Amino acid sequence: MSIETRPVTVNLGPQHPSTHGVFRMRVTFDGEEIVDVEPVFGYLHRGSEKLAEERTYSQIVTLTDRMDYVSSMLNNQAYILAVEKLCNIVPSPRGVWLRMIASELQRIASHFVATGFLLQDLGALGTPLIYCMRERENILDLFEMLCGARITNSYLRPGGVFMDAPEVFWPALDRSLGDIEKSIDEIEEYLSGNEIIFSRTKGTAVLSSESLVNASITGPMLRASGVDWDLRHRNPYDYYSDITFKRILHTASDNYARYWVRVQEMRESLKIISQCIKNIEPGPVRPSFDDVPRLVRPEPGDSYAAIEGSKGELGFYLVSDGGISPYRMHVRAPSLINLTLLREMLVGELFGDLFVIFGSVDLNMGEVDR
Amino acid sequence: MIGKGIPKGFIITLKNFFRTPVTVQYPDRKVSLFEYAKIHKKNIFKLFFSQPMLSIKISLGLISVPSSVEQSQRFRGNEFTFFEERCTVCASCAKYCPLGIIEIVSVPGGFDAQEGESYKLEVFDIDIGRCMFCGLCVEACPYDALHMGTKFEKSTYVRDNLIITKEKLAESEKSPSSFYRPQFEKKKFDPFKDNIDDHYKAGRHEKPEYKDLKKKWVDDR
Ligand code: SF4
Ligand code: SF4
C-alpha cells in the first residue's frame, strides 16, 4: 500500500494579521513547499481615482493622503508635482525646501515601518517593531507641529505648503535627527549582525535584475538587485539636483538585501534633510493667491509627474478638460506593481518564509487597491 | 550558528529595558505620592499626616489622576471654534469642503453697523461624523470666523449628536488651534490654557482704533 500525497490549497487572508492589510492569497502547498500562489486583492478599494473626478484640484490632496497611509507626505508631493506641471505653477523656494524635508522624514518613517514589520514577520514578536514604531512616533510628532495631523497630513498645496513651519519645529527637528541616527545605529547593531536574520533572509526569494526590470519594479526592491535607478538622481524633481546623496545599491537581490537597502536609505535621507536645512532661506511658502488661486483651472491637456516614493516610483497622471476638476486621474502605485513578481518569489520557497517574502516587498494595501 | 550577534541583540534589549518609557497613559495615569503632592501643591509630609488613608492608597497605586497627551498648537481637533459675529455668510467654507458636509442657510435681514444691510446666518451645521478634519474649510474662511479646535474628546452614543449646530458652536469652549491662523502663533496664544472670548481677538488684524475708523470712513470721504 502506498500513501498518496496531494497538494493542498489554503486561503490566507483577507483578514490575516500578517497580510499588512486586507490581502488574500490562495496558496497551494505540496507539504511545506509552495507550488502556486494566486493573489486576490481589491478588498480596500475606495474608488479614489473616481472620487477625484468630482473634486477640485486643491481638494484632491486629502484623497492622496489615504492611498498609502504610511507615507502620506510623499503621496501629497507626487500629486502636487503633477498639478504644478499641469498648471505651469512656479513653486515658492521655501515651500519646496519644506516639502522636501517633510517627504524625506516621511520616507524614514515609512522605511521604519517596513523594517519593523519585516522583523515582525520573521518572528521577532513585538520588540523590534516597537522600537521602530517609537522612532516613527517622533517623526509623526514633527508632522503634528507642521500641519496639525499625524497621518492624514494634507500639508502640501499647489506651489508649496500651506503654512510655514512653527518656531518650535526647528529645534525639535534637530533633536529628532540625532535620535533617529542613534536608533538606526541601534537597529543595525542588533539586527544586521544577527545570525537568525542571516539564516532566514539571505538567499531567499532571489530575483534576477532582468526580471525586476521587465516587471517594471522600482524602489528599494530594484536597487537591492544592483540596478542604479533612483528618480531623485535620474530625473530630479523639486531641488534634488542641488543635493548630493549616495545611491544605495546591493547586488544579492534577496530579502536581506532589500532590508539592508532600506536601512541605509534612512541614513541618506537624514543627510538630505540636513542639507535642506542648510539651504532653506526665508520667504513665502506658497505663491500669492493672485498667481495660484484656490480654484485652479488648467488648460486642457495632461501631465504625469513621478517621484521616488518610499516603495518605488509613485506617479500621478492627470487629464484636464479645462474644468475645475480633473477629467481623469490615474495613480501609478508602486505597491501594486511590486506585487507582480510575488508568484515568482514565492514558488519553490517554504511556508515559513511566505510572510517574510511578502513583508520584504513592503506593500501597503491602501495603495494597492486605492 | 549562534555567534556574537544574538548576545549583542540581548544587550540592546536590556539597555532599552532601563530607559524611561515613552508610552503616555491616557486618560488616567497612576501617580506616586510625591507626584500627587506636587500636583496638588501640598507638602508631602503634611499630606501623609493629614490623610493617611489616601496616602496609603496612592502608594498602593489605587489612585489615578487624569492625564493628557501632549498636542501641538496646530492640532486639528474635532471641535470647531466659530465666531458668529465675524461670519459674513459667504459660504466659502461650504464650497471648499471636499465632502460637502457644511450646511449653511442665510436669510436677508441682518444689519451691519458699517455696511448697512447684510445677510443673517440661520443654519450652520457641520456633520463631524463624516468630517475628516482636513481643515480646508478653515483655510477658505476669509474672515477668520471658523477655526479648527484643539479638543478631540467628542464621542457620543448617538450619531445625530455629531452634527454640531450654530448653537452648539456658540456654547462650546473657544480654544482655537493655530492651524492656518498664524496670528495666534504670533501672539503666542496657547489653546491648552487660554480661551478667546472676544471675537475681535481672533482676527488677523488688530481691532482698529476709533480715530482710525473715523479717518477712514468719515474724514477721507
Ligand atoms: S475639516 Fe475638511 S471635511 Fe471637515 S468640514 Fe472642514 S473641509 Fe469639510
Ligand atoms: S467661510 Fe467663514 S465667513 Fe464665510 S460662511 Fe464660512 S465661516 Fe462664515
Side-chain angles (χ1 to χ4, degrees), chain B residues 83-133:
Chain B
F83 297 99
E84 203 191 325
E85 299 89 338
R86 298 192 70 88
C87 181
T88 59
V89 209
C90 65
S92 298
C93 47
K95 264 180 249 162
Y96 210 48
C97 174
L99 306 174
I101 54 170
I102 303 182
E103 188 186 345
I104 291 186
V105 176
S106 64
V107 285
F111 186 75
D112 192 296
Q114 276 163 16
E115 313 273 337
E117 276 182 19
S118 76
Y119 282 107
K120 210 166 74 189
L121 185 67
E122 204 165 70
V123 178
F124 189 88
D125 288 356
I126 305 179
D127 182 359
I128 60 167
R130 290 178 58 205
C131 176
M132 56 181 169
F133 312 108

Side-chain angles (χ1 to χ4, degrees), chain A residues 55 58-59 62 66 131 134 144-148 152-153 157 162-164 186 190 193 195 286 294, chain B residues 1 3-5 12-13 16 19 71-72 74-76 95-98 132 134 136 139 178-180:
Chain A
R55 277 166 177 68
S58 348
Q59 291 174 346
T62 58
R66 286 151 180 84
Y131 293 173
R134 185 183 66 201
E144 195 184 316
M145 281 176 203
L146 275 179
C147 61
T152 51
N153 307 105
R157 296 284 183 274
F162 69 72
M163 213 173 155
D164 203 348
E186 196 179 281
Y190 83 117
E195 287 84 3
R286 69 192 278 183
R294 286 205 178 90
Chain B
M1 196 190 99
K4 265 204 321 228
I12 287 180
T13 38
N16 274 287
R19 68 182 265 176
Q71 291 161 256
S72 99
R74 285 187 191 173
F75 187 81
R76 310 206 288 250
K95 264 180 249 162
Y96 210 48
C97 174
M132 56 181 169
C134 58
L136 287 181
E139 198 178 321
S178 53
F179 168 82
Y180 212 76

Side-chain angles (χ1 to χ4, degrees), chain A residues 87-149:
Chain A
C87 312
N88 300 322
I89 294 169
V90 183
S92 304
R94 191 179 170 85
V96 174
W97 288 117
L98 272 172
R99 75 186 182 200
M100 275 168 72
I101 292 174
S103 57
E104 287 304 324
L105 280 173
Q106 184 75 75
R107 191 189 313 278
I108 297 173
S110 173
H111 282 345
F112 264 125
V113 173
T115 312
F117 275 101
L118 176 67
L119 295 161
Q120 169 96 346
D121 291 342
L122 269 171
L125 278 180
T127 316
L129 175 66
I130 297 294
Y131 293 173
C132 290
M133 285 307 217
R134 185 183 66 201
E135 297 315 319
R136 176 173 175 259
E137 206 66 12
N138 282 340
I139 295 173
L140 296 191
D141 280 342
L142 290 175
F143 286 164
E144 195 184 316
M145 281 176 203
L146 275 179
C147 61

